[in-house]
Amino acid sequence: MDYATLKAFKPSEFEGAADGYRTMGNSAQAAREHIENTVATGMRKSLKGEAADAAHKQLQALARNFHYTQTECGVISTALNGFAYDMAAAKRKLEAAIADAQADGCRVNDDGSVAFPAGQKPGAEKPSEGGTVTGSAGGTETSDALERQAANIHPNPNYGKAMGYANRVADALKEATDADTKWEPKIRALKADDDLTVSGSDWKDVTSDTDGVRGAADAYLHTIKPPPSNDWPQDNANWWNGLSEEQREAYVSMHPASIGALDGLPSAVRDDANRIVLAEQRGAKQVEYDAWLKKEPEHYRPYISPVTGREVKGAMVPTEEWRKWDEKRKEIEGGYQGMDAIQKRFDTYTSESSRPYLLGFDGKDMGRAIVAIGNPDTADNVVTYVPGTFAELKSIDGDIGRAERLQAQAEATDPTKSTASIVWLGYDAPQGIATDATETKWADNAREPLGNFVQGLEEANHREGGVNQTLLGHSYGSLVVGETMSMHIDLPVDNAIMVGSPGVGVDHAKDLNIPPDRVFAATSDHDLINLAPPVARDPLSPKAWWDTFDDHTIVHGTDPTSEDFGGQVFEVPDGKWPGEGWETMPAHSQYWDDKPLRSLAGIVTGGKP
């Protein structure tokens, strides 16, 4: 970067370009939302048949294109603002050096050198002629000392001043050169394929682009106040409200996962951010899956009889290499099944009341997701369902289905009120009944995040008089709900429901910090959870197991369906017998059948079962 280029550089032109890309991204977002919320939903409600299905697939592809455009425009806008910020800082240093030199009787030449006038040191017989000096950037302690010595020796007192200004010019030019060198490959990388198909590799590139820009734009991003470290929902909301639109969009483009996880922010904001994360992680999984398919080894080999030791003519068996390959293939496939189940909701909803919102997402390890059916920010009633043992991202389809059924039944129960129904898989659930589920550590780790989430719903929903909130825990999820409510004295929860519960971590309904008559529990007679005893004090003693088992104790405390617990017990069908339909615990999953579902909806809408 030379002197003339930096002097003529206009950061405002790049900031203007950034605004243009931001506007383009907003237009793409508006187009995507119009397709998803108006065109596609209207088509699904009114049109059927092969032509409608084909048109719907094209709309989905178009919406994905707009989503990709929106996301990349956000990244480009932040990159241009980051480049302009770095260059503006260098230009300010250059302009300050020029102004100071002029005020001191020196002149910065077109090549960046500094001319100084004639001058006379005290005691000298005559003035010394003026001259020109060229500075150097990044002086060291040694070079600075040498320059001071040269200035003291030089007969012209203006020489030392000019050298200082020349060094400042050189420093500014180096800073601009460094910025240009840093940003050139980052900005050049921000380009898409020349086709109309947004593939998994395209979304993987978005992740790479974002990482690159985020690292380069650290100085610019540090001008944006970060979220509060305490992660308290009200503080999060105040932080968000204090940002400008440009700052908000820059933060979302660079930190979508962080924004998507912030309790207290509007649901639409969290949904937008988390859908970026979903698209990026789904794209990465697709790239991984496609690459693994190309590594498929030979599938079959001839079968060798263990009796004769000879090849059995016409008999083939899978090779061991193929078995291992297929096991890994299924593992990768399972990693995106839950993602596809979530995306399916965005592709199939038919009304604003059943519109999905992705309020949390992380595809790593077992995976986590928080999916709302209906907007919690505008709903009169909000129910948050916490699933239990064996819950994980790849099987979330069934849990979202439960939330959908409850939302529909709640609005049918009270059509005058709107209800948002949420599945909260915001924790790592236990994955074994006789092992993990007997421990409280999973619930211990979940109670603070769930509490913050519920507080965040209240903060984002500014309905006069507050929103009617219900926590619904199933199986081990009821322990999560119980621990969360008992730990938070003033949690904004109006109703608590425990179904198929192994205990909620407290001995009495009043310990949940809401009126006991708004604590409801039910367990089917044929649910095997009824046979789960409390943990024995001496696990090696059969008598100890028997002595601790009575009609009101269970794995994690007092059975919430017992009279001793003091809550409200509602009736549910007996359910299927264990083993019926080749299921081990079928009754444990029947709390969303028609009759119990009506009871759940009655509670959620503020009434009785």
Side-chain angles (χ1 to χ4, degrees):
M1 178 73 62
D2 59 25
Y3 172 79
T5 302
L6 181 57
K7 187 177 180 182
F9 185 86
K10 296 180 179 179
S12 60
E13 292 181 350
F14 287 85
E15 292 167 346
D19 289 342
Y21 274 103
R22 189 158 58 89
T23 300
M24 187 184 301
N26 290 339
S27 298
Q29 178 182 6
R32 173 179 64 84
E33 291 178 348
H34 180 69
I35 291 171
E36 291 180 341
N37 304 337
T38 304
V39 180
T41 53
M43 180 180 292
R44 286 192 288 268
K45 284 191 293 187
S46 59
L47 299 177
K48 303 293 181 184
E50 291 183 8
D53 291 343
H56 185 239
K57 288 181 180 179
Q58 290 182 335
L59 285 175
Q60 288 176 343
L62 184 59
R64 285 193 293 270
N65 286 355
F66 279 126
H67 190 204
Y68 175 76
T69 301
Q70 169 197 346
T71 306
E72 281 286 52
C73 282
V75 176
I76 294 170
S77 176
T78 303
L80 292 173
N81 275 326
F83 174 62
Y85 181 87
D86 289 349
M87 293 297 292
K91 183 167 183 176
R92 285 194 299 270
K93 291 182 179 180
L94 178 66
E95 291 173 339
I98 294 171
D100 291 347
Q102 289 175 342
D104 213 7
C106 297
R107 183 185 74 254
V108 180
N109 298 317
D110 291 342
D111 62 355
S113 62
V114 177
F116 58 94
Q120 184 176 0
K121 283 188 174 181
E125 294 182 359
K126 60 180 181 177
S128 176
E129 293 182 356
T132 301
V133 293
T134 300
S136 58
T140 64
E141 188 174 327
T142 301
S143 65
D144 290 345
L146 291 172
E147 285 187 359
R148 287 194 298 271
Q149 185 177 13
N152 290 331
I153 295 173
H154 200 281
N156 190 330
N158 294 317
Y159 170 85
K161 294 187 294 184
M163 183 56 70
Y165 298 131
N167 287 341
R168 288 171 60 185
V169 169
D171 284 337
L173 292 176
K174 182 180 185 303
E175 186 172 325
T177 300
D178 290 345
D180 187 56
T181 302
K182 175 180 71 173
W183 278 108
E184 189 274 337
K186 307 296 183 186
I187 294 177
R188 188 180 294 278
L190 301 177
K191 58 183 180 180
D193 295 337
D194 56 351
D195 58 50
L196 294 178
T197 300
V198 179
S199 63
S201 60
D202 288 328
W203 279 108
K204 189 176 181 181
D205 284 343
V206 171
T207 305
S208 176
D209 291 343
T210 303
D211 290 344
V213 171
R214 183 169 52 241
D218 54 350
Y220 167 66
L221 294 173
H222 283 163
T223 66
I224 305 174
K225 183 181 178 182
S229 58
N230 62 12
D231 199 28
W232 185 243
Q234 186 174 10
D235 291 340
N236 292 339
N238 292 337
W239 167 78
W240 181 257
N241 293 333
L243 299 181
S244 68
E245 279 302 314
E246 178 185 309
Q247 291 172 327
R248 290 177 179 178
E249 291 176 21
Y251 217 94
V252 171
S253 69
M254 293 294 101
H255 304 283
S258 297
I259 293 297
L262 280 183
D263 298 309
L265 267 58
S267 293
V269 172
R270 297 181 69 174
D271 175 65
D272 249 354
N274 284 312
R275 288 185 66 181
I276 294 174
V277 180
L278 172 64
E280 290 180 354
Q281 293 194 10
R282 179 62 179 88
K285 278 292 180 186
Q286 188 64 53
V287 170
E288 182 184 7
Y289 187 73
D290 292 343
W292 189 251
L293 289 181
K294 294 177 181 178
K295 298 179 180 179
E296 182 177 7
E298 185 178 359
H299 193 162
Y300 294 105
R301 62 172 176 81
Y303 175 67
I304 307 298
S305 171
V307 178
T308 65
R310 297 179 179 178
E311 179 180 320
V312 179
K313 188 175 182 180
M316 304 290 285
V317 293
T319 64
E320 185 61 28
E321 293 79 11
W322 188 89
R323 290 179 187 275
K324 292 180 179 179
W325 172 88
D326 193 50
E327 184 178 332
K328 177 67 174 178
R329 181 192 64 80
K330 290 177 180 177
E331 178 185 329
I332 299 173
E333 192 175 55
Y336 64 71
Q337 285 176 345
M339 301 183 195
D340 289 350
I342 295 171
Q343 182 60 47
K344 175 185 173 184
R345 268 58 190 193
F346 292 104
D347 295 338
T348 57
Y349 75 96
T350 57
S351 66
E352 185 62 29
S353 65
S354 61
R355 176 181 173 180
Y357 290 82
L358 187 56
L359 304 182
F361 181 79
D362 184 354
K364 300 182 184 69
D365 300 323
M366 289 191 296
R368 298 182 180 185
I370 305 171
V371 182
I373 305 301
N375 190 346
D377 297 356
T378 59
D380 300 290
N381 309 302
V382 176
V383 52
T384 301
Y385 153 55
V386 182
T389 306
F390 299 123
E392 55 182 328
L393 181 60
K394 71 179 181 181
S395 60
I396 200 172
D397 185 53
D399 291 317
I400 299 176
R402 291 173 175 178
E404 289 173 322
R405 290 196 293 276
L406 181 51
Q407 192 272 340
Q409 184 61 55
E411 294 209 337
T413 299
D414 187 356
T416 66
K417 301 288 178 62
S418 60
T419 297
S421 180
I422 302 170
V423 53
W424 190 85
L425 183 57
Y427 79 117
D428 291 334
Q431 298 297 303
I433 296 176
T435 53
D436 292 352
T438 63
E439 301 180 15
T440 65
K441 64 180 182 181
W442 316 93
D444 297 342
N445 293 334
R447 59 193 181 189
E448 185 172 348
L450 179 57
N452 286 344
F453 178 74
V454 171
Q455 292 280 7
L457 294 176
E458 185 81 6
E459 181 63 32
N461 188 314
H462 295 289
R463 182 175 303 280
E464 187 176 348
V467 57
N468 175 50
Q469 286 209 60
T470 301
L471 276 180
L472 165 60
H474 173 237
S475 188
Y476 190 92
S478 65
L479 177 63
V480 175
V481 168
E483 282 204 15
T484 301
M485 295 183 65
S486 63
M487 185 183 80
H488 297 84
I489 296 176
D490 56 353
L491 201 66
V493 172
D494 303 279
N495 319 289
I497 309 174
M498 323 292 183
V499 291
S501 175
V504 298
V506 297
D507 293 327
H508 198 279
K510 62 180 174 57
D511 298 327
L512 299 179
N513 295 309
I514 64 172
D517 64 352
R518 297 309 300 175
V519 176
F520 301 87
T523 298
S524 300
D525 283 351
H526 296 163
D527 190 339
L528 285 181
I529 201 74
N530 289 301
L531 300 180
V535 177
R537 288 184 292 273
D538 180 4
L540 298 180
S541 168
K543 186 175 185 301
W545 281 98
W546 181 257
D547 288 346
T548 56
F549 183 73
D550 56 36
D551 62 352
H552 66 268
T553 52
I554 202 164
V555 182
H556 296 295
T558 302
D559 184 346
T561 64
S562 68
E563 187 174 332
D564 290 348
F565 189 73
Q568 304 295 306
V569 180
F570 62 98
E571 293 185 3
V572 293
D574 292 346
K576 297 179 181 179
W577 287 99
E580 188 175 337
W582 301 101
E583 295 182 64
T584 304
M585 300 176 64
H588 194 58
S589 302
Q590 289 189 267
Y591 298 102
W592 283 263
D593 289 353
D594 288 346
K595 184 175 180 180
L597 186 64
R598 289 194 292 272
S599 296
L600 295 178
I603 300 168
V604 166
T605 53
K608 296 289 185 179

